[in-house]
Amino acid sequence: MPERFEQTMYEMLAQTRAVLTELKSLGVDEVYPLAGTESLPLCSQGMSESNLQRCDCRTETLDEIRIELGDCQRCKLAKRRKNLVFGSGNSHAQLVFVGEGPGRQEDESGIPFVGEAGQLLDRILFAMGLERDQVYICNVIKCRPPQNRNPNNDEICACEPFLQRQLASIKPQVIVALGKFAAQTLLQQQTSISQLRGNWADYQNIPLMPTFHPAYLLRNPAGKRDVWEDMKMVLRRLAQEDSP
Ligand code: URA
Ligand code: URA
């Protein structure tokens, strides 16, 4: 075998092994064939007319919401932020993930979930057979709190209407709330995330699955199995929503 070819083969094997090891640590005990997940309805652009709401008014677009936020100064987090982190992904996604708020890397890049927690979220998406551009990812608050402290109530209150408008614009089939802040904010409840997770809840008639935050999983890897159970429920729900 030519030496370079052999080297490439070894690299590919090593990468495959790393991915499988990561999946195993997530508690994944089955791998979906790509054909199965490709048929999942992740973009509603092609939806039939009868499925679309018929009304005279149109929903605002994500771009319009972003423009209205502008150089937002609605709360004190504006002062120290480098970038407002609006959200990223498919504006017609059938699945939306809502996190807490930007960390350092997100503040620097303006993109949600790009740090260590984001890399874990990417692996969870991979295990679900999904790519980032098939889903939409955003946060409860759009600017980084100093030292990544928890968001204050006044900050959540200033930002929440924009999250609500983003969700109303996207109209996903399913929402995943990542961690306590997303779940409690969207559900207007104080119940702990360990009690909420794994149980379907309702956000404006959209099924919402609360689960642990990836940053929590980095500290408590044992929780990955619970999250994978929750994500399997999400995949089943998406498949169900798609069937006539
Ligand atoms: N944690 C979050 O909740 N959101 C991000 O965007 C990054 C880390
Ligand atoms: N605390 C949180 O805020 N989120 C989790 O997911 C777990 C504990």
Side-chain angles (χ1 to χ4, degrees):
M1 227 183 319
E3 206 175 309
R4 269 199 40 210
F5 180 65
E6 199 177 327
Q7 194 186 340
T8 309
M9 290 261 295
Y10 276 125
E11 281 167 10
M12 278 173 63
L13 267 175
Q15 279 168 14
T16 307
R17 188 173 292 127
V19 168
L20 289 174
T21 306
E22 178 62 37
L23 291 180
K24 203 169 158 197
S25 87
L26 281 170
V28 177
D29 47 20
E30 65 221 286
V31 177
Y32 298 94
L34 201 55
T37 48
E38 267 177 340
S39 63
L40 270 182
L42 281 156
C43 180
S44 55
Q45 269 168 323
M47 267 172 41
S48 67
E49 189 64 17
S50 60
N51 285 345
L52 295 170
Q53 255 183 346
R54 284 162 191 269
C55 64
D56 292 334
C57 54
R58 72 173 180 89
T59 319
E60 60 185 346
T61 66
L62 288 175
D63 285 344
E64 286 164 340
I65 301 167
R66 178 65 192 91
I67 287 167
E68 190 178 321
L69 263 170
D71 181 33
C72 184
Q73 303 290 326
R74 292 169 181 81
C75 86
K76 57 189 176 304
L77 296 179
K79 226 184 261 170
R80 293 218 233 165
R81 70 151 183 256
K82 289 191 183 137
N83 285 293
L84 184 152
V85 181
F86 181 67
S88 73
N90 191 322
S91 54
H92 300 281
Q94 297 206 348
L95 178 57
V96 173
F97 289 83
V98 180
E100 179 177 322
R104 187 175 55 80
Q105 285 106 321
E106 291 78 20
D107 179 52
E108 267 161 26
S109 64
I111 303 166
F113 283 99
V114 289
E116 217 186 327
Q119 285 161 27
L120 177 52
L121 179 60
D122 283 340
R123 296 196 288 274
I124 293 170
L125 285 173
F126 179 85
M128 296 173 81
L130 300 174
E131 307 256 2
R132 256 189 190 241
D133 60 7
Q134 292 178 286
V135 302
Y136 191 81
I137 304 176
C138 59
N139 287 303
V140 171
I141 57 165
K142 301 193 171 1
C143 297
R144 182 193 182 202
Q147 277 83 48
N148 298 343
R149 66 154 168 77
N150 290 338
N152 291 340
N153 256 344
D154 58 320
E155 294 152 4
I156 294 178
C157 287
C159 224
E160 197 187 348
F162 293 94
L163 172 64
Q164 288 166 350
R165 285 164 61 179
Q166 282 172 294
L167 294 171
S169 171
I170 300 168
K171 295 191 219 72
Q173 305 272 344
V174 174
I175 297 169
V176 172
L178 297 168
K180 175 175 117 175
F181 278 91
Q184 292 184 345
T185 303
L186 290 170
L187 298 176
Q188 300 285 301
Q189 282 190 32
Q190 291 306 305
T191 314
S192 72
I193 185 67
S194 46
Q195 275 181 285
L196 287 171
R197 72 139 281 275
N199 298 298
W200 284 111
D202 175 85
Y203 170 83
Q204 307 277 330
N205 289 325
I206 301 171
L208 181 147
M209 176 56 71
T211 197
F212 291 131
H213 192 287
Y216 168 82
L217 296 181
L218 292 172
R219 299 189 303 272
N220 301 275
K224 288 180 184 180
R225 283 177 180 267
D226 289 332
V227 170
W228 182 240
E229 289 307 313
D230 301 346
M231 294 308 101
K232 283 198 279 192
M233 281 198 269
V234 166
L235 287 172
R236 282 198 290 271
R237 189 74 180 236
L238 285 169
Q240 220 177 321
E241 299 281 334
D242 191 39
S243 51

